[in-house]
Amino acid sequence: MDKILRVNMGTKGIPRITIEPIGAYAGLGGRALTSAIVSKEVPPASHPLSGANKIVIAPGLLSGSIAAMSGRISVGCKSPLTGGIKESNSGGQPSQVLARLGYAAIVLEGKPEGDDLYTIFINKDGVKIAIDNSLRMLGNYDTVTRMKEKFGDKIACISIGPAGEMRLPAASIAFTDMELRPARHAGRGGPGAVMGSKGVKVIVIDDTDLPMRQPKYPDKYKEANKIFVEGLLKHGVTGQALPAYGTSVLANILNEAGAYPTYNFKQGTFAGVSKISGETEAALETERGGVPSHGCHRGCVIRCSGIYNDKDGHYLSKQPEYETVWAHGADCGIDDMDKIAMLDFLDDNYGLDTIEMGVTIGVAMEAGLLKFGDADGAINLIHEVGKGTPLGRIIGRGAAVTGRVFGVERVPVVKGQAMPAYDPRAVKGLGVTYATSPMGADHTAGYATTANILKVGGFVDPLKPQGQVELSRNLQVATAAIDSTGMCLFIAFAILDQPETFQALIDLLNPFYGLSFTADDVAEYGKKVLTMERDFNTRAGFTKEQDRLPEFFKTEPVPPHNVVFDVSDEELDAVFNW
Ligand code: SF4
């Protein structure tokens, strides 16, 4: 992983391919690398869909090696949804494949003059670009099928659906899983729209005949990986709950905590939760011949993913994640698991962020466009987005724009990005993360549910303002570092609780690169990433006024605890004081 592939789509004639040494970006991977390139090379005031913006796709520092859980991938750009810097993280196979091909990053830059659609094929022999307008407005599933017909099934794909081609700010980039389903997505912040603006429909990668990346000190690396895996498997969340029930295991837990946002964040409990919980999902999957436990990439040992079949036992979608089930479920008052799985499939196929779409439909329901609980109406709305009707193009611009168009006051967004599945009034640590993350409202940026609700890594009362800033700060710093390694964020449960598992993570980094990192060095690395991201946002015009939750969270108590968000502005402004 010592080279960067640049594809300039803005050159006359065919796009220009450059393969260059990693150079000044050496030592950076995943989020650290995407944010460094965007921060240094993209003018902060530029239009996100202009030739000045770039899409950076980067495996993590440990991706492509034997390290368990190391196959996450980072996508960076200036976000068309937030207007700020974006790192959107995805699972799937491409991280491992790209790393073994030796690329620290793919950078798509410039903007083509015409409206041709391009495919990019990368294998050990080099890079080929071709025009293929027959893929126009194809869904991600059909696009991948066409790539399989052309290149065989030893490939991995990175693609956009019609939403990306239409440059909608809710558009995702799809990454194929181990079975070549385009079911893992860099969804947050609209990176699919930026890839669409570059005219690139799909990047096909093939690592046939290429070995795993080798560490500098293989024996130490192997030993650290063994301890790391043992730690993951013995922890209750990573070794039992997530593999058995998937991420939706959180539904009952958040509902019991009164923090499960329902009917567009009006209350913290949902009467239909048992019909859409992880336990119900897993039972349905098993009964219908699906799979309740599945890894989204080679080397995942937690295996929180799964396969969701329809009533006739045919594949309907991958197991919808907790956030998706909540966004299309409780937030919209929908408790029909099959309809939610259909919405998940449609989002994946059209190439849309499931959180943004669910929350946007909740806002549309509040506006009276359709009724809470109207699952078929929600499905129709997603089809409108995928087809690009005028209404669909409004919905596809996300919750903030939809709220403005339909005159809704209660719109749960920060920096223009829809809020995920934890009410910030009842999980206040996450409220701090939503408010202050450079990414906009993003639970993964500093997942305070750990200490607030799950009592992992200590306990901070979720209903009180005390201790939330420190909790969010520490998690945001740690997350920025983890997102740079290529490790799945779910390792956090085990490394926060078990010092030896945290040490094993550091002991993976050190022998791989011949470093002598300490825990403090890892924290410094995370701080540098956050500082870089905040600096970009400042230059893009963001001030502390954007590090705030919408007003209604401060004035409207959420039942059943009847609490408001009461972490003060002064405290929020202290999150990044280091
Ligand atoms: S734990 Fe889940 S999200 Fe993480 S790598 Fe495994 S399957 Fe993917």
Side-chain angles (χ1 to χ4, degrees):
M1 273 187 18
D2 53 1
K3 57 191 178 183
I4 291 178
L5 166 64
R6 290 181 188 266
V7 184
N8 188 336
M9 305 301 298
T11 50
K12 290 245 180 287
I14 56 164
R16 188 174 64 233
I17 298 164
T18 316
I19 297 171
E20 61 187 31
I22 188 165
Y25 296 117
L28 303 178
R31 176 172 167 185
L33 183 54
T34 63
S35 288
I37 293 176
V38 172
S39 179
K40 185 161 179 236
E41 301 182 15
V42 174
S46 60
H47 193 289
L49 301 179
S50 73
N53 201 1
K54 304 191 183 205
I55 274 282
V56 187
I57 303 171
L61 289 167
L62 298 174
S63 300
S65 74
I66 60 157
M69 313 303 302
S70 64
R72 301 288 300 194
I73 199 159
S74 292
V75 179
C77 61
K78 174 169 173 166
S79 165
L81 189 75
T82 68
I85 198 164
K86 176 55 60 182
E87 185 263 356
S88 194
N89 199 283
S90 176
Q93 269 295 87
S95 184
Q96 305 285 33
V97 175
L98 203 54
R100 285 181 203 184
L101 282 162
Y103 293 105
I106 300 173
V107 183
L108 304 180
E109 48 198 16
K111 187 172 182 175
E113 274 178 9
D115 65 348
D116 284 326
L117 270 185
Y118 290 84
T119 63
I120 301 175
F121 177 71
I122 308 168
N123 69 359
K124 66 179 178 4
D125 300 321
V127 183
K128 287 188 188 132
I129 300 190
I131 293 173
D132 189 346
N133 289 318
S134 72
L135 301 175
R136 194 172 300 285
M137 294 301 269
L138 273 193
N140 281 310
Y141 276 84
D142 282 346
T143 299
V144 170
T145 299
R146 296 274 287 276
M147 294 302 106
K148 267 198 286 189
E149 286 163 7
K150 197 166 173 185
F151 298 106
D153 59 6
K154 300 279 184 282
I155 54 170
C157 294
I158 303 168
S159 61
I160 57 167
E165 287 186 55
M166 291 186 279
R167 300 164 198 183
L168 299 176
S172 64
I173 296 179
F175 293 81
T176 47
D177 63 10
M178 287 197 286
E179 289 76 25
L180 265 175
R181 289 178 289 246
R184 319 305 305 186
H185 287 246
R188 309 257 50 204
V194 183
M195 186 156 152
S197 75
K198 307 293 177 205
V200 176
K201 177 74 176 175
V202 55
I203 302 170
V204 181
I205 48 181
D206 179 351
D207 64 354
T208 303
D209 296 336
L210 290 171
M212 283 193 186
R213 289 177 67 217
Q214 292 303 316
K216 222 167 180 166
Y217 301 105
D219 290 344
K220 283 186 182 165
Y221 194 66
K222 223 166 141 190
E223 178 59 21
N225 191 43
K226 189 167 159 274
I227 296 169
F228 184 60
V229 170
E230 281 168 2
L232 294 173
L233 295 181
K234 81 174 182 202
H235 192 275
V237 177
T238 50
Q240 290 155 27
L242 285 172
Y245 304 116
T247 50
S248 277
V249 71
L250 286 165
N252 279 324
I253 296 170
L254 268 295
N255 196 61
E256 276 163 30
Y260 195 50
T262 298
Y263 303 128
N264 190 33
F265 287 77
K266 280 204 187 71
Q267 56 193 57
T269 52
F270 181 44
V273 67
S274 66
K275 295 187 188 164
I276 60 172
S277 67
E279 292 82 345
T280 301
E281 248 189 295
L284 272 176
E285 284 162 1
T286 305
E287 185 187 307
R288 295 172 174 183
V291 184
S293 185
H294 175 268
C296 72
H297 65 74
R298 289 191 295 240
C300 167
V301 297
I302 299 177
R303 299 166 60 83
C304 80
S305 181
I307 308 297
Y308 191 97
N309 286 347
D310 65 15
K311 288 191 174 93
D312 301 322
H314 300 125
Y315 178 83
L316 178 50
S317 196
K318 97 281 194 180
Q319 172 179 284
E321 302 287 352
Y322 167 69
E323 307 294 334
T324 305
V325 174
W326 160 79
H328 281 307
D331 195 51
C332 295
I334 293 170
D335 62 7
D336 183 326
M337 200 51 232
D338 286 343
K339 296 274 165 72
I340 293 170
M342 173 56 81
L343 285 158
D344 182 63
F345 170 78
L346 293 174
D347 286 339
D348 283 357
N349 201 32
Y350 288 132
L352 289 160
D353 177 19
T354 57
I355 297 174
E356 196 65 45
M357 281 301 91
V359 173
T360 302
I361 293 171
V363 169
M365 287 173 166
E366 174 135 348
L369 200 64
L370 65 172
K371 285 195 165 39
F372 280 104
D374 182 357
D376 291 327
I379 287 172
N380 283 339
L381 268 189
I382 297 293
H383 280 306
E384 298 242 10
V385 179
K387 287 176 189 154
T389 65
L391 174 60
R393 283 173 188 264
I394 293 169
I395 301 291
R397 297 198 72 77
V401 167
T402 299
R404 281 202 289 277
V405 169
F406 291 101
V408 178
E409 183 196 345
R410 301 175 69 265
V411 181
V413 298
V414 178
K415 300 182 179 77
Q417 181 166 285
M419 211 171 267
Y422 315 81
D423 197 298
R425 294 162 287 192
V427 193
K428 291 192 202 297
L430 259 182
V432 174
T433 299
Y434 292 165
T436 59
S437 166
M439 301 299 152
D442 180 348
H443 61 296
T444 66
Y447 191 59
T449 311
T450 47
N452 273 173
I453 304 290
L454 301 173
K455 299 190 178 160
V456 167
F459 175 65
V460 178
D461 188 334
L463 302 176
K464 299 207 170 106
Q466 290 80 18
Q468 310 298 353
V469 162
E470 194 184 2
L471 174 64
S472 174
R473 176 194 297 127
N474 291 340
L475 289 167
Q476 290 198 57
V477 167
T479 302
I482 291 172
D483 284 345
S484 305
T485 62
M487 286 284 168
C488 175
L489 196 53
F490 292 143
I491 67 165
F493 296 108
I495 66 173
L496 284 170
D497 262 352
Q498 300 166 181
E500 74 280 10
T501 313
F502 180 58
Q503 188 56 45
L505 174 64
I506 297 174
D507 291 345
L508 279 165
L509 280 168
N510 284 334
F512 197 93
Y513 287 96
L515 300 169
S516 49
F517 261 30
T518 62
D520 287 346
D521 295 325
V522 172
E524 278 311 308
Y525 194 98
K527 285 178 188 171
K528 271 186 197 150
V529 174
L530 283 162
T531 302
M532 202 157 55
E533 292 168 349
R534 282 175 54 78
D535 173 62
F536 180 93
N537 281 359
T538 302
R539 288 182 287 129
F542 284 72
T543 68
K544 61 184 182 181
E545 300 311 319
Q546 275 84 46
D547 285 349
R548 303 287 183 258
L549 298 186
E551 197 58 29
F552 78 90
F553 288 109
K554 299 178 210 165
T555 57
E556 185 184 306
V558 63
H561 297 297
N562 295 316
V563 283
V564 295
F565 185 74
D566 53 1
V567 179
S568 70
D569 291 352
E570 291 71 30
E571 287 175 283
L572 292 177
D573 293 340
V575 169
F576 300 102
N577 282 353
W578 47 64

